[in-house]
Amino acid sequence: MRTVLIHGMVMGPSFWSSFAPSIVREGRSVAYPLPGHSPWTLDGFGGILRTEDIVDAYAQAIERDFDGEPVTLIGHSTGGFVSLLLARHRPDLVSNVILMGAFACGRFEGQERMASRILRLPLLGRHLFIRLFTRWISTRENFRWGSLETVFDKNVGWETEETAATMEKVREQLLNSKADEIAAFVSWMSRTSVLAELSRIDVPVLNIIGARDAIVPPAHQIHLSGRLPRVQTVILDKVGHLPMAEARDKVDRLIGAFLLLGPLTPKSNQTLTDISQATPFANPVPRGL
């Protein structure tokens, strides 16, 4: 099994050391950063980030780390957005896509990400974004409280000594990132959409949606599924933006069944509503940027 994991905005590859699905630890798994998130720096890059440059960088990394063999992409939030772009533009490198809390455009229907709104403010937007980002990651407690805003049930019990140590590693990776480079990536995201091309993504997709997601509206995630030709959609009640943390056992079972039993047949679409020693991850820097 070959798996690439891509984290969400202002997170880091270390996130997956605690929250990767169990089944992916049985094969070859690599966690890649988002552009501008340590260890992927944008040093030497001039001008505006382009989709083709980002896709090409990830494609080169997959070709390098998996000898060009197709992989399963597991993307959370912004990582899901990037995964959809890869599946659209480089289907030869993608066998399956698993989404959690994902979106298909930088400005979703009826809601724009706070970071994007801040960056669009005239004159002071970029400075304010950098200041708020720097303050958020400045202490363990600030980072913890910011992260808790993404979950539905604050008392769900997913925080353990292991996960706390993992989140501290994520914070350390963000401290090694450059806020202005993350701002450049957010600006790219806010002007980019793959919505109109979802019907041309012809690889099997599992879309896991938290019904109480306060970050990416569930309505947008359902709309996303409606445009994909080969998708299985699962909606988890009483779950927010971190299904892999808030409903870990359920997510493990869903992903295990999807990968072991095989995806749905072509041109099928199904929605289900739920009512009721780790392999180390490498952090290679994608080439190209």
Side-chain angles (χ1 to χ4, degrees):
M1 188 175 298
R2 299 175 297 273
T3 311
V4 166
L5 303 109
I6 307 177
H7 61 81
M9 178 65 65
V10 291
M11 281 289 165
S14 293
F15 173 83
W16 297 108
S17 63
S18 285
F19 300 112
S22 297
I23 190 171
V24 308
R25 302 174 187 273
E26 300 173 9
R28 166 81 171 139
S29 301
V30 180
Y32 291 153
L34 290 173
H37 295 61
S38 180
W40 185 353
T41 67
L42 304 183
D43 288 341
F45 178 81
I48 298 175
L49 277 173
R50 301 183 307 166
T51 298
E52 51 264 43
D53 294 327
I54 294 172
V55 169
D56 185 58
Y58 279 111
Q60 289 184 44
I62 293 171
E63 290 170 342
R64 178 191 67 211
D65 297 329
F66 296 92
D67 298 322
E69 294 292 325
V71 301
T72 291
L73 298 175
I74 299 181
H76 172 242
S77 194
T78 307
F81 181 41
V82 169
S83 296
L84 289 169
L85 287 169
L86 278 166
R88 169 66 187 95
H89 294 286
R90 290 301 305 268
D92 56 309
L93 295 177
V94 180
S95 55
N96 304 284
V97 176
I98 297 171
L99 306 173
M100 289 179 275
F103 54 89
C105 59
R107 300 183 190 179
F108 353 105
E109 302 91 335
Q111 179 175 328
E112 183 180 7
R113 295 176 70 95
M114 177 63 71
S116 300
R117 293 203 299 269
I118 290 173
L119 282 171
R120 289 176 59 228
L121 293 173
L123 301 178
L124 294 177
R126 197 176 189 88
H127 173 75
L128 180 58
F129 172 87
I130 292 173
R131 181 168 184 153
L132 290 174
F133 170 76
T134 303
R135 181 178 179 182
W136 178 48
I137 65 173
S138 62
T139 69
R140 179 192 293 252
E141 196 62 17
N142 281 355
F143 189 62
R144 175 181 178 271
W145 282 110
S147 301
L148 278 177
E149 291 300 312
T150 64
V151 304
F152 169 65
D153 184 354
K154 305 300 187 289
N155 300 312
V156 74
W158 62 273
E159 288 187 295
T160 64
E161 288 186 8
E162 176 198 358
T163 60
T166 292
M167 295 305 286
E168 180 61 13
K169 289 180 181 177
V170 170
R171 189 177 74 89
E172 290 170 359
Q173 287 183 322
L174 290 172
L175 286 170
N176 289 324
S177 304
K178 296 180 179 178
D180 59 335
E181 292 187 350
I182 292 180
F185 178 68
V186 174
S187 295
W188 164 82
M189 181 186 65
S190 69
R191 64 177 183 270
T192 304
S193 174
V194 73
L195 267 174
E197 300 178 272
L198 290 176
S199 62
R200 301 177 68 180
I201 296 178
D202 194 29
V203 300
V205 178
L206 172 63
N207 190 14
I208 300 175
I209 301 171
R212 308 300 181 91
D213 193 331
I215 307 301
V216 180
H220 173 82
Q221 299 180 56
I222 293 170
H223 183 192
L224 184 165
S225 279
R227 295 192 174 202
L228 290 166
R230 301 175 65 187
V231 63
Q232 178 179 351
T233 305
V234 181
I235 304 171
L236 300 177
D237 193 18
K238 297 182 180 178
V239 171
H241 192 57
L242 293 178
M244 75 294 285
E246 299 174 72
R248 189 167 186 169
D249 290 342
K250 290 179 181 178
V251 169
D252 269 4
R253 290 196 298 270
L254 288 167
I255 293 176
F258 179 75
L259 294 179
L260 289 177
L261 301 180
L264 301 175
T265 56
K267 305 301 178 186
S268 64
N269 189 312
Q270 179 181 355
T271 300
L272 303 173
T273 302
D274 175 75
I275 56 175
S276 51
Q277 213 50 263
T279 300
F281 291 89
N283 296 326
V285 181
R287 299 172 183 170
L289 292 181

